[in-house]
């Protein structure tokens, strides 16, 4: 009587779990099929109990599942693995273990949705990586073209960060002050020799950059005392946008011609 009660209690639990559960005897005949297994296998317990597993699923002969079932039955060694069942196109997470007497217990879950989600995520990551690689290559090519123009231009050009720090400048601009890039890079733009030799110019440039930082396009001609070229009319200063400004001046004429 106690054994009967225990069996009924166990079966009651098996009928409420979301995992599919089947029990197979030593000849691999179905001896128990719970409700979840009926739904996933699309067969009723009445159809399966008493029939041999490999008669119902002959395509599983020679498969990984057969190996694990026989190992659990004959060597009493359990296993956990994932299996793709081609006829239904479904993935299953399967756990097989020896049971009391000469039988085995098999629990399984349909994990098709999670496997498909993982595959979709991998595909998305691969596409994103490809897009990033393509975008990086595109930006590098654009930077190379910009650098080529920047380095060979006859205009005075400098890259300046939003806080006014000079990042880089081309040879034409450096020739105007007779300096090397490392002598001016890292300094506030308005505190460089292009402006410090002209009274009031540092403050003017600081104000013009504040306007450019607000997104305004500045058109300001400058009359500067340049260390290596004397007095020059230059202009304009314009924003490049993003993280830096391109301050570009075109030498218009010497002071005497301007006058």
């Amino acid at each position: 009587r106690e054994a009967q009660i225990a069996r009924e209690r166990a079966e009651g639990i098996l009928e409420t779990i979301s995992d599919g559960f089947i029990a197979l005897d030593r000849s691999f005949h179905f001896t128990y099929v719970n409700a979840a297994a009926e739904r996933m296998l699309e067969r009723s317990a009445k159809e399966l109990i008493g029939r041999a597993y490999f008669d119902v699923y002959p395509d599983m002969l020679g498969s990984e599942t057969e190996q694990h079932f026989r190992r659990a039955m004959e060597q009493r060694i359990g296993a956990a693995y994932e299996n793709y069942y081609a006829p239904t196109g479904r993935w299953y997470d399967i756990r097989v273990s020896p049971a009391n007497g000469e039988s085995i217990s098999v629990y399984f879950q349909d994990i098709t949705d999670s496997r498909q989600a993982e595959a979709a995520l991998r595909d998305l990551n691969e596409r994103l990586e490809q897009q990033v690689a393509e975008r990086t290559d595109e930006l590098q090519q654009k930077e190379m073209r910009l650098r080529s123009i920047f380095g060979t231009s006859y205009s005075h050009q400098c890259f300046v960060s939003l806080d006014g720090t000079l990042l880089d400048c081309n040879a034409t601009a450096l020739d105007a002050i007779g300096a090397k890039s490392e002598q001016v890079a890292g300094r506030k733009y308005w505190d460089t020799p292009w402006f410090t030799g002209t009274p009031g110019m540092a403050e003017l440039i600081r104000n013009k950059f504040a306007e450019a930082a607000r997104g305004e396009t500045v058109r300001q001609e400058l009359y500067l005392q340049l260390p290596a070229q004397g007095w020059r009319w230059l202009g304009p200063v314009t924003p490049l946008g993003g993280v830096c400004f391109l301050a570009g001046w075109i030498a218009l004429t010497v002071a005497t011609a301007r006058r």
Side-chain angles (χ1 to χ4, degrees):
R1 177 60 182 170
E2 291 181 0
Q4 179 66 23
I5 294 174
R7 179 183 177 84
E8 290 175 355
R9 183 180 297 117
E11 290 180 355
I13 294 171
L14 290 173
E15 290 302 315
T16 61
I17 63 175
S18 60
D19 287 13
F21 173 82
I22 60 174
L24 304 176
D25 65 15
R26 63 177 301 176
S27 299
F28 300 102
H29 287 81
F30 288 92
T31 60
Y32 186 84
V33 179
N34 77 344
E38 288 181 301
R39 289 192 299 271
M40 283 185 270
L41 298 176
E42 298 182 346
R43 293 173 182 266
S44 69
K46 291 181 179 180
E47 291 180 78
L48 296 173
I49 291 176
R51 298 180 63 187
Y53 179 88
F54 297 108
D55 288 342
V56 179
Y57 300 105
D59 49 329
M60 301 303 289
L61 288 168
S63 69
E64 181 183 11
T65 291
E66 182 187 14
Q67 294 175 11
H68 288 307
F69 280 18
R70 293 193 182 281
R71 191 164 180 248
M73 188 71 74
E74 297 166 6
Q75 302 179 37
R76 316 307 287 169
I77 298 174
Y81 63 101
E82 292 183 359
N83 181 71
Y84 178 72
Y85 189 54
T88 60
R90 311 296 294 180
W91 279 93
Y92 297 95
D93 176 64
I94 302 173
R95 288 153 290 148
V96 54
S97 59
N100 294 332
E102 296 181 332
S103 62
I104 59 174
S105 297
V106 182
Y107 293 87
F108 55 98
Q109 291 180 324
D110 187 329
I111 58 170
T112 306
D113 290 345
S114 62
R115 288 294 295 253
Q116 291 176 342
E118 290 172 4
L121 182 59
R122 284 196 300 271
D123 290 343
L124 176 61
N125 286 336
E126 289 174 1
R127 290 198 300 272
L128 289 176
E129 289 174 1
Q130 179 64 28
Q131 290 173 1
V132 168
E134 292 173 355
R135 181 59 176 160
T136 299
D137 182 64
E138 179 185 352
L139 291 175
Q140 288 175 340
Q141 293 181 20
K142 288 183 177 179
E143 181 182 3
M144 290 176 62
R145 289 195 295 270
L146 180 59
R147 284 287 178 185
S148 177
I149 295 171
F150 180 72
T152 59
S153 174
Y154 290 104
S155 298
H156 296 233
Q157 296 180 347
C158 296
F159 284 109
V160 185
S161 68
L162 289 173
D163 67 356
T165 302
L166 179 65
L167 304 176
D168 198 3
C169 47
N170 68 354
T172 302
L174 291 170
D175 289 344
I177 60 174
K180 296 180 180 180
S181 179
E182 57 267 24
Q183 294 176 295
V184 290
R187 296 169 61 178
K188 292 299 182 183
Y189 187 51
W190 41 83
D191 290 334
T192 58
W194 289 292
F195 310 112
T196 53
T198 305
M201 190 56 63
E203 184 64 24
L204 173 64
I205 295 299
R206 182 188 290 110
N207 292 336
K208 292 302 177 183
F209 262 82
E211 294 176 20
R214 293 193 296 269
E216 302 176 25
T217 299
V218 179
R219 301 295 181 187
Q220 177 70 46
E221 291 187 352
L222 306 173
Y223 186 45
L224 303 174
Q225 174 70 46
L226 299 174
Q229 296 179 346
W231 288 95
R232 295 272 181 165
W233 281 100
L234 305 170
V237 178
T238 59
L240 177 66
V243 297
C244 63
F245 295 100
L246 177 62
W249 313 299
I250 301 176
L252 301 179
T253 182
V254 294
T256 52
R258 179 74 179 186
R259 292 168 186 167

